[in-house]
């Protein structure tokens, strides 16, 4: 594992994660790589019916966890989509308890209309408050969250650093590259 961690550092252009401790900004991560397929009769409470984080995704999460550690972040408030691949990513970061946030869920007709889910995600971003110094906030979601704020989604395991601004499109202030 040490070789893996050393071989996949943050890129030179990546945002300095230690600045999450300064407050005022939030990290939005796309879940790490997940294998399999979502069953047509999936259940959010049953990971066997969904794509799950496997070996490659666990390796990505280990790299991300190491990046947080190197940045001096050992704990954060972590909000996640209820989908297993996002929840597993959030838990593997090792930053503390993980809280489900349905607004961060991936769109699926079984969960409601796309319009209603988009509105919930917009409202989430509008209501999102900048964290105070020493209280980092990490959000784990899917491509849909990035699309809503008008940017291309990063590769699995990548993310954006956002400054909440009371709108559905927080200001993008940095990028976190996806581990290979």
């Amino acid at each position: 594992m040490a070789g893996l961690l050393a071989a996949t550092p943050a890129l030179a252009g990546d945002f300095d994660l230690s600045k999450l401790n300064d407050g005022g900004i939030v990290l939005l991560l796309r879940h790490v790589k997940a294998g399999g397929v979502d069953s047509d009769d999936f259940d959010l409470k049953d990971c066997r019916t969904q794509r799950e984080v496997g070996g490659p995704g666990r390796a990505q999460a280990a790299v991300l966890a190491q990046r947080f550690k190197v940045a001096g972040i050992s704990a954060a408030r972590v909000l996640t989509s209820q989908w297993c691949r996002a929840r597993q990513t959030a838990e593997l970061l090792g930053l503390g308890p993980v809280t489900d946030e349905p607004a961060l869920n991936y769109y699926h007709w079984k969960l409601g209309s796309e319009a209603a889910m988009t509105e919930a995600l917009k409202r989430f971003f509008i209501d999102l408050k900048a964290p105070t110094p020493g209280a980092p906030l990490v959000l784990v979601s899917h491509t849909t969250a990035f699309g809503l704020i008008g940017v291309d989604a990063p590769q699995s395991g990548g993310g954006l650093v956002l400054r909440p601004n009371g709108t559905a499109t927080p200001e993008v202030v940095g990028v976190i590259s996806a581990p290979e």
Side-chain angles (χ1 to χ4, degrees):
M1 172 99 102
L4 171 69
L5 296 178
T8 55
L11 297 178
D14 274 8
F15 187 84
D16 178 359
L17 286 176
S18 69
K19 292 182 180 179
L20 290 174
N21 276 322
D22 296 343
I25 53 177
V26 174
L27 176 58
L28 173 63
L29 279 178
R30 181 176 173 195
H31 64 79
V32 296
K33 293 176 183 174
V37 296
D38 295 321
S39 170
D40 287 339
D41 62 345
F42 77 91
D43 178 348
L44 285 180
K45 295 180 176 147
D46 184 354
C47 291
R48 295 171 302 170
T49 66
Q50 303 173 44
R51 293 174 51 208
E52 292 190 71
V53 174
R58 288 182 183 283
Q60 283 187 302
V63 170
L64 290 169
Q66 182 66 20
R67 287 182 189 172
F68 281 111
K69 183 177 178 180
V70 167
I73 298 175
S74 59
R77 182 170 169 231
V78 182
L79 302 179
T80 184
S81 158
Q82 295 170 298
W83 287 83
C84 290
R85 55 191 172 267
R87 177 165 258 293
Q88 290 165 344
T89 297
E91 291 168 348
L92 289 166
L93 295 175
L95 296 172
V98 172
T99 303
D100 286 346
E101 175 48 67
L104 296 172
N105 283 350
Y106 186 73
Y107 299 138
H108 192 283
W109 62 268
K110 232 178 131 174
L111 299 176
S113 75
E114 186 171 335
M117 293 181 77
T118 297
E119 189 55 39
L121 186 55
K122 281 182 184 178
R123 176 61 37 207
F124 175 81
F125 281 127
I126 290 168
D127 294 342
L128 185 62
K129 302 294 182 222
T132 58
L137 175 59
V138 176
L139 310 173
V140 182
S141 192
H142 308 266
T143 57
T144 50
F146 296 90
L148 178 77
I149 60 175
V151 298
D152 290 334
Q155 293 181 357
S156 295
L160 296 176
V161 180
L162 307 173
R163 184 177 318 283
N165 59 13
T167 74
T169 54
E171 177 187 0
V172 176
V173 297
V175 175
I176 303 300
S177 61
E180 293 299 319

